[in-house]
Amino acid sequence: MSSTFLRYIAQRVVQCILVIFIGITITFLVPRFSPTDPVEAAVNRAMMMGQYSHPDAVRMMKEALTKMYGLDGTLGQQYIRFWKGLLSGDLGPSLSSFPKPVMSLIRTSLPWTAGLLLVSAIISWTVGNLLGCLAGYFGNQRWSQVIGMIAMALHPIPYYIMAFVLLVALAYVIPVFPIGGAVDIGLKPSLGWIYISSLLRHAFLPALSLVLIGVGGWFIGMRTLVTNVVAEDYVTYAKYAGVSDRTIMYQYVMKNALLPQITGLAMQIGLIFNGALITEYVFSYPGLGYLAYNAIFTGDYSLIMGVAIFSIVGVSLAVLLIDLAYPLFDPRVKYQ
Amino acid sequence: MLKVENLKAYYQTEMYGVSRNVRAVDGVSLELQKNEVYGIAGESSCGKTTLIRTLFGAFDPPLRVVEGTVTYSLDGESVDVTKIQGERLRQIRWKQVSYILQGSMSLLNPVRKIRKTFWDFTRAHEPITDAEKFEAMARNHLNRLGLPAQVLDSYPHQLSGGMKQRVAIALATLFEPKVILADEPTTALDVIVQRGVLQLLKRIQRETQSTLVIVTHDMGIHANIADRVAIMYAGRIVEEGRVKHIFGDPLHPYTKHLIESLPKIGDKSTRTSIPGAPPNLGDPPPGCRFHPRCPYAEPICRRESPHLAAVANDRRVACFLVTTKENAHVS
């Protein structure tokens, strides 16, 4: 470990922390400057029930809500309190499922989303890039053109249509897969076969829909990258020198073409913390996207902020990870 | 060593039902001896690179050899590289005929150490049984070319432009090929580095008694290194001869212009350029291809195209003005 290496890492880590700090600060400020007042909105919702409330009761309700939202005191006081809570893992109670804390809601949703999206991102990245590389390298062969056409046909299908078609076809018309949920109702988490198989069966369709769309995107990107790299002088030179096709494809073409795709994968993994709203909605999958969707519809400010904070942290950590790992893939980027 | 006869290599493209022939090499004949440096000169897009690629048997569609032969005599056996393919071609390449392609800055894989590239290029022709032996061979080869063995541990981006080109040359000469084809080996290098690279090429050529074909638009390089020079214009050789004859007494009007355009020490007069632009090779002019720009063009030049005819020993020229007047100088 040289000092330049350590300095490289320290610099990136500090940068990452700074980005997270600024991002979270903005998430803190935006709802506070927005014209809609969450307290007012909650009171109005309660009043809409049509009951008569005593003005004192309304005032007390407002005070209680203001305190619960952490909106009492000056902006500076709120900010300090917000960070104190955040650092001790407390994001306040969720309003829509009061009094459950936001943290515990996120904690139950996160593993589902993370598992689903991580696995499907990795599968689609690997398959898409491998096929894209082959198709770009053997561009004028029949099979590569067929794969290209399939990818071209799959890629532009709007995701929600793909998801619905899969759901209707494979869960309703031919009911091989469950219509929704993450596991069969009533099953307790365990490492037993029944639980795992139920989990896999439920995850299959959402994962398939994500993979089908994802593969198309990675494929098209990789094929273009490879077609460009194949035309590079060093590839021609190696070809003329009689270097074997295998070596040229993996060491000369793929290694160079894959560099931007590695960045893409890390970004995709960072976005896991956003959840996959449409997937989770269509397949009633209890992930972060679904949680965020409900939070928006019920005006659950603290939950929206909680999800946003996770997303900021996720993307920033992914970027940090690429920065740290990139010199391993590209010798032109050095730890300095 | 190498005999090229009436070689025609066209880029044949078809787009929206319209086929187009770009006659990049259109009837080139030449003969190369063992242990000589042959220079091919000409302006951009005159077919130099296409010619040298065809000499290497490297023509992929849309480039096609329409006519003619490129025959090497290797170990008493004659091989026409326009006819062979696949494994047979692979065996000849690098061991017998090497090709340093244009673009010295980008001939090396940016994410691979030079050692690995040496390994790949070596293994393509000889099985590597012993890593230590390979290491010794690579170091020895670099040493002989006067390059530091540390380059093996470098990535291309850590080397200077001149060093990259030298490494590319080292890669091309791993197996002491009998013919080395070099396409613009010094373009994009400054003159000092150019000199080093040329000396390296020349030294390799002399030590291995090989044939070196060097393609460049830079007449200064030809004057320095070549034994014989061919001047190409619009896909054809218009003049060929010993370097001192070409420079001292150019016969073809195009060659004359080319030589006159070179600056001379002490001569401060303005250099004139040839009027007009080189012809479109998709639709070359009839007759002599130079006639639209030639100040001496006569009616016959517009109708018929002159053959590259021997006018003296080691001297060929394709111009009616020269061949009809039998060695008479055009003035």
Side-chain angles (χ1 to χ4, degrees):
Chain A
M1 291 295 141
S2 62
S3 65
T4 52
F5 178 70
L6 286 177
R7 184 148 15 101
Y8 178 92
I9 289 187
Q11 243 170 28
R12 294 305 186 293
V13 170
V14 168
Q15 208 172 31
C16 176
I17 291 173
L18 210 67
V19 167
I20 291 176
F21 176 78
I22 293 170
I24 290 180
T25 304
I26 292 172
T27 342
F28 166 84
L29 288 176
V30 165
R32 278 164 179 79
F33 287 126
S34 89
T36 50
D37 181 353
V39 175
E40 206 67 47
V43 170
N44 284 343
R45 260 201 309 278
M47 305 288 264
M48 271 195 293
M49 304 294 184
Q51 267 177 339
Y52 170 75
S53 307
H54 193 272
D56 276 346
V58 173
R59 192 177 45 79
M60 277 165 71
M61 195 160 107
K62 272 189 181 168
E63 268 170 21
L65 281 171
T66 309
K67 208 166 161 52
M68 206 176 77
Y69 276 124
L71 291 175
D72 51 335
T74 64
L75 201 63
Q77 285 169 336
Q78 290 178 31
Y79 188 57
I80 290 166
R81 208 167 43 235
F82 168 77
W83 270 108
K84 270 189 187 155
L86 187 63
L87 291 175
S88 56
D90 178 17
L91 288 164
S94 151
L95 192 77
S96 56
S97 13
F98 193 78
K100 261 197 178 171
V102 167
M103 219 48 169
S104 91
L105 284 175
I106 291 178
R107 208 177 296 131
T108 41
S109 302
L110 187 60
W112 294 113
T113 296
L116 179 67
L117 293 189
L118 191 67
V119 170
S120 50
I122 288 173
I123 291 178
S124 52
W125 188 82
T126 314
V127 174
N129 280 315
L130 219 64
L131 288 179
C133 187
L134 288 168
Y137 193 71
F138 301 102
N140 36 23
Q141 285 184 15
R142 179 57 67 83
W143 59 262
S144 95
Q145 281 164 358
V146 170
I147 298 178
M149 272 190 289
I150 294 174
M152 281 294 204
L154 279 181
H155 188 60
I157 297 177
Y159 174 72
Y160 51 90
I161 291 182
M162 167 81 87
F164 265 120
V165 168
L166 283 177
L167 184 71
V168 170
L170 294 174
Y172 184 70
V173 179
I174 317 166
V176 247
F177 292 104
I179 204 125
V183 282
D184 286 312
I185 293 165
L187 274 184
K188 280 245 156 30
S190 72
L191 282 174
W193 170 243
I194 299 174
Y195 183 77
I196 302 263
S197 74
S198 166
L199 187 147
L200 289 179
R201 254 174 357 99
H202 281 81
F204 187 84
L205 279 186
L208 182 67
S209 68
L210 289 170
V211 166
L212 280 179
I213 294 286
V215 164
W218 290 120
F219 172 88
I220 290 168
M222 187 63 175
R223 192 179 54 176
T224 314
L225 285 166
V226 166
T227 345
N228 284 335
V229 174
V230 163
E232 290 283 345
D233 290 334
Y234 53 83
V235 176
T236 317
Y237 198 44
K239 265 188 192 165
Y240 284 171
V243 176
S244 72
D245 260 340
R246 252 182 87 89
T247 312
I248 291 183
M249 197 174 97
Y250 289 118
Q251 302 295 342
Y252 286 71
V253 176
M254 209 173 187
K255 250 189 165 177
N256 280 291
L258 219 46
L259 295 174
Q261 300 291 80
I262 290 171
T263 314
L265 174 68
M267 293 309 288
Q268 185 106 6
I269 288 175
L271 289 178
I272 280 175
F273 298 94
N274 274 352
L277 177 58
I278 300 172
T279 321
E280 291 169 10
Y281 193 72
V282 171
F283 297 98
S284 321
Y285 210 75
L288 270 187
Y290 203 62
L291 195 67
Y293 171 81
N294 278 334
I296 291 164
F297 264 74
T298 52
D300 189 342
Y301 275 81
S302 39
L303 187 53
I304 295 173
M305 272 175 69
V307 175
I309 287 168
F310 264 82
S311 161
I312 290 169
V313 173
V315 174
S316 311
L317 286 182
V319 171
L320 176 67
L321 215 71
I322 317 170
D323 263 357
L324 294 185
Y326 212 72
L328 299 178
F329 305 114
D330 190 344
R332 283 165 295 187
V333 182
K334 271 194 290 186
Y335 291 113
Q336 56 182 215
Chain B
M1 194 71 233
L2 168 62
K3 195 170 179 178
V4 177
E5 274 175 300
N6 193 28
L7 184 68
K8 293 185 179 175
Y10 297 170
Y11 291 92
Q12 297 183 320
T13 51
E14 207 180 289
M15 202 170 259
Y16 307 120
V18 181
S19 58
R20 216 172 103 90
N21 271 343
V22 176
R23 304 181 195 177
V25 174
D26 202 8
V28 166
S29 300
L30 51 91
E31 217 168 312
L32 302 184
Q33 309 305 323
K34 189 175 154 59
N35 192 18
E36 78 165 333
V37 181
Y38 188 79
I40 300 174
E43 57 201 342
S44 297
S45 79
C46 72
K48 305 185 300 276
T49 295
T50 310
L51 174 60
I52 203 168
R53 273 179 67 191
T54 319
L55 297 187
F56 192 60
F59 36 87
D60 300 312
L63 178 62
R64 281 192 193 85
V65 170
V66 186
E67 217 184 300
T69 54
V70 178
T71 315
Y72 287 90
S73 49
L74 305 166
D75 307 322
E77 189 190 353
S78 56
V79 185
D80 181 358
V81 293
T82 63
K83 303 288 187 299
I84 57 169
Q85 277 176 332
E87 193 51 31
R88 182 84 185 89
L89 192 58
R90 215 176 69 90
Q91 282 168 1
I92 289 172
R93 284 177 177 178
W94 244 250
K95 287 216 132 179
Q96 312 267 17
V97 183
S98 251
Y99 176 26
I100 303 159
L101 46 160
Q102 199 170 356
S104 53
M105 295 299 156
S106 52
L107 292 182
L108 302 167
N109 185 350
V111 297
R112 208 152 169 76
K113 277 195 178 160
I114 306 293
R115 173 178 288 107
K116 289 273 191 184
T117 306
F118 264 79
W119 177 279
D120 295 338
F121 278 50
T122 308
R123 209 180 50 170
H125 300 280
E126 269 173 14
I128 300 174
T129 46
D130 186 349
E132 266 172 48
K133 232 183 244 169
F134 160 78
E135 183 72 23
M137 186 280 292
R139 281 168 178 274
N140 191 18
H141 182 63
L142 286 173
N143 241 333
R144 216 172 46 231
L145 302 189
L147 303 182
Q150 293 96 286
V151 298
L152 288 174
D153 289 312
S154 315
Y155 285 103
H157 71 277
Q158 295 165 325
L159 303 178
S160 67
M163 195 52 88
K164 274 189 230 179
Q165 183 61 5
R166 277 176 246 234
V167 169
I169 291 170
L171 280 166
T173 51
L174 272 171
F175 301 105
E176 300 197 351
K178 298 194 174 66
V179 179
I180 303 167
L181 309 167
D183 190 359
E184 301 276 11
T186 56
T187 311
L189 302 176
D190 73 49
V191 280
I192 306 229
V193 182
Q194 270 189 13
R195 184 159 161 263
V197 168
L198 287 175
Q199 280 171 344
L200 175 66
L201 274 171
K202 180 76 189 164
R203 214 177 77 216
I204 295 169
Q205 183 269 331
R206 225 180 9 233
E207 280 170 14
T208 58
Q209 301 273 298
S210 54
T211 307
L212 173 64
V213 180
I214 191 160
V215 161
T216 174
H217 62 272
D218 188 339
M219 294 304 286
I221 290 172
H222 291 300
N224 260 316
I225 192 173
D227 298 321
R228 286 197 296 149
V229 179
I231 311 292
M232 269 186 96
Y233 185 79
R236 287 178 180 163
I237 293 181
V238 293
E239 183 165 5
E240 183 199 56
R242 302 245 132 236
V243 73
K244 62 170 187 282
H245 295 139
I246 293 282
F247 279 88
D249 179 25
L251 294 178
H252 195 280
Y254 178 64
T255 320
K256 276 176 184 277
H257 273 292
L258 215 55
I259 303 299
E260 273 168 21
S261 73
L262 298 175
K264 290 180 191 70
I265 293 171
D267 181 0
K268 291 214 170 68
S269 62
T270 324
R271 303 286 150 200
T272 50
S273 67
I274 311 175
N280 174 3
L281 293 178
D283 181 23
C288 173
R289 288 186 177 175
F290 187 60
H291 86 254
R293 300 169 78 185
C294 182
Y296 317 106
E298 285 176 13
I300 186 171
C301 303
R302 291 183 186 89
R303 290 192 314 271
E304 282 170 49
S305 87
H307 291 287
L308 188 63
V311 291
N313 199 20
D314 258 349
R315 193 79 195 266
R316 295 191 297 163
V317 65
C319 180
F320 289 121
L321 291 152
V322 181
T323 44
T324 50
K325 290 182 197 160
E326 281 299 329
N327 287 351
H329 292 182
V330 192
S331 49

